[in-house]
Amino acid sequence: MRALPAQGQDWPALKQALQEAKSRDYSWRRGRLAVFFYYLDEALERLQQEAYMTFWTENNLGQRAFPSLAKLEGEVVEMALSLMHAPEGAAGSFTSGGSESIFLALLAARERAGKSNPNIVIPDTAHLTFDRAAWYLGIEVRRVAVDRERRSDVMAMAAAVDYDTIALVGSAPNYPFGGIDRIEALGQLAQQHDLWLHVDACVGGFLNPFLSKLGADVPAWDFSVPGVTSISADIHKHGMAPKGASLLLVRDAALRQHHRFESSAWARGTYAAYTAQGTRPGGAVAAAWAVMMHLGEAGYLDCARRIMDARATIAAGVAAIPGLEVLPGNHAIIVYRSTDKALAIGRIATAMDGRGWLVSRQAEPDGIHLHLNPLHAEVAEEYLADLRAAVAEAREGAAPEMAAGRAY
């Protein structure tokens, strides 16, 4: 067990140790990751860093002390609400990530319904964060198989609804395949039963609007759909902000009361918060605000265009390799698999890993999963060259098979 050093060390030595530790990581700067990072260029990276450092020590819990953060946070929420066609009176909360946003949505749904044995009905492609939040909150999760298009089977979901159901969930898109659920039909179902409908747009919230502007077929998914109660959207994904920035948006500001904690049961006076966090980094808010203001609509359109260019290049290149098949889709997520029994996708994954690519394995169907961001447009041809070599190596059968294993 490592103990605290008796004497402190100087920064140059510590910096070198940190750089040496990072040297063993996969290179996100070279686009070698299929998950965990979202990167445009060095200019935006510097802007993120400088904006964050401007508020690096300010605590966003203390907005009485730092009214600047209240203003910046409010403007971030307003821009997102506008982007997602929210009605007048809508509101939102700035959170640490999609997991917290989803947790708060389920908390609000539970408190609003007031049922003793609550359950939620969700497609089986919905993120497992819903199961984790439900585990914390004492909510039963009813996962319903999706249809042949790997989108929500609304009739089957309707059949799973009962008196104790408090919420429905749809994804825009889902993470396993990049498909957008049938949000309009789910909205109708939610209205029929007075249910909370949460749309998980952690991946798509800051990408879907711009894909639509580029002509992609993006089904209705946001507050323009009657019945949508809340949306989770990660600014630190395709919003291109640094980590620690997500939003829970609600159709009506009054709904925020259902995930608000308030108590005066101690000597210090009233404590009130809309998030699961206490201390909140002001830098995350400042950096998200700066990125959104810097990129604007034109910048986000450029990011979306690069992603779709990368998708077109990689999908066509993979499909051209004998024995591989790309699953249907038109979003930032690509899944491909082997159609040749003599070509093990796990061996391809091992060979790609050996070439420095962090491979994200898909469990069902057995395949490889890519979540694209703007940088992948610059490395798409390099990826395909290594993939062709990896397929040749896999056909030789020398490499061991990488198991699907953990998603994260």
Side-chain angles (χ1 to χ4, degrees):
M1 181 181 295
R2 182 161 189 164
L4 191 68
Q7 299 295 326
Q9 300 178 36
D10 292 335
W11 169 238
L14 296 172
K15 182 178 180 180
Q16 182 178 352
L18 292 174
Q19 293 296 339
E20 289 175 354
K22 286 189 72 171
S23 69
R24 294 185 289 274
D25 293 346
Y26 291 85
S27 177
W28 56 268
R29 287 186 183 279
R30 295 176 58 213
R32 292 304 190 269
L33 277 68
V35 67
F36 301 131
F37 89 113
Y38 302 84
Y39 187 73
L40 179 61
D41 53 33
E42 290 185 6
L44 186 63
E45 180 186 10
R46 287 194 297 271
L47 181 146
Q48 292 172 345
Q49 292 169 343
E50 291 185 22
Y52 199 106
M53 290 302 292
T54 303
F55 284 82
W56 76 274
T57 194
E58 279 79 359
N59 183 351
N60 198 26
L61 176 66
Q63 291 188 348
R64 288 193 304 117
F66 311 115
S68 57
L69 286 173
K71 180 177 183 295
L72 294 176
E73 182 176 304
E75 291 183 4
V76 166
V77 169
E78 288 173 4
M79 286 188 282
L81 289 170
S82 174
L83 189 64
M84 298 172 207
H85 301 104
E88 288 295 324
S93 301
F94 192 106
T95 72
S96 60
S99 294
E100 185 185 6
S101 296
I102 288 168
F103 174 88
L104 294 174
L106 293 194
L107 171 62
R110 188 192 71 176
E111 295 303 290
R112 171 183 175 270
K115 300 291 179 65
S116 57
N117 296 294
N119 68 71
I120 58 172
V121 178
I122 71 177
D124 64 2
T125 50
H127 202 286
L128 282 172
T129 292
F130 287 97
D131 297 72
R132 179 171 56 167
W135 174 59
Y136 291 148
L137 294 167
I139 299 172
E140 177 194 352
V141 179
R142 297 180 177 178
R143 285 185 166 264
V144 176
V146 291
D147 61 19
R148 292 181 180 179
E149 295 181 359
R150 297 190 173 91
R151 298 171 64 198
S152 50
D153 184 334
V154 179
M155 289 185 64
M157 290 179 68
V161 171
D162 64 15
Y163 170 80
D164 289 317
T165 302
I166 62 171
L168 304 172
V169 169
S171 302
N174 65 63
Y175 198 66
F177 303 105
I180 294 179
D181 285 321
R182 293 179 170 82
I183 305 302
E184 288 183 307
L186 288 173
Q188 294 173 7
L189 180 61
Q191 290 178 300
Q192 290 169 10
H193 295 276
D194 189 27
L195 298 175
W196 187 292
L197 172 57
H198 180 76
V199 175
D200 176 15
C202 287
V203 170
F206 288 89
L207 183 56
N208 294 341
F210 306 104
L211 293 182
S212 294
K213 289 179 182 293
L214 293 177
D217 181 15
V218 179
W221 62 277
D222 60 12
F223 288 116
S224 63
V225 178
V228 170
T229 314
S230 61
I231 297 173
S232 51
D234 285 357
I235 320 175
H236 63 214
K237 286 190 171 70
H238 292 292
M240 306 307 294
K243 299 293 189 293
S246 179
L247 296 169
L248 172 64
L249 306 175
V250 291
R251 179 177 289 276
D252 186 336
L255 295 170
R256 297 181 74 216
Q257 295 299 319
H258 296 300
H259 63 77
R260 183 178 189 268
F261 172 82
E262 180 175 340
S263 178
S264 301
W266 68 334
R268 279 281 289 116
T270 301
Y271 179 101
Y274 286 98
T275 67
Q277 304 169 77
T279 293
R280 298 192 291 150
V285 175
W289 178 89
V291 166
M292 293 171 72
M293 294 294 289
H294 175 73
L295 287 177
E297 183 172 316
Y300 282 117
L301 275 171
D302 179 58
C303 288
R305 187 177 294 109
R306 295 188 195 201
I307 289 168
M308 295 309 284
D309 286 348
R311 179 186 176 86
T313 299
I314 293 175
V318 171
I321 299 174
L324 294 184
E325 173 189 53
V326 179
L327 299 187
N330 64 348
H331 214 280
I333 290 170
I334 296 178
V335 178
Y336 63 91
R337 62 181 175 181
S338 172
T339 58
D340 183 348
K341 292 182 179 180
L343 180 61
I345 198 73
R347 295 189 193 280
I348 297 173
T350 298
M352 287 296 283
D353 182 81
R355 287 166 172 79
W357 298 92
L358 177 67
V359 179
S360 185
R361 290 281 274 112
Q362 183 87 343
E364 297 178 13
D366 192 14
I368 290 176
H369 182 283
L370 294 174
H371 184 178
L372 304 175
N373 68 70
L375 184 60
H376 286 120
E378 299 177 20
V379 300
E381 293 293 352
E382 189 177 354
Y383 180 87
L384 290 171
D386 280 348
L387 180 59
R388 288 188 287 268
V391 168
E393 183 178 329
R395 286 196 180 279
E396 295 174 358
E401 290 195 39
M402 180 188 292
R406 293 175 54 179
Y408 300 120

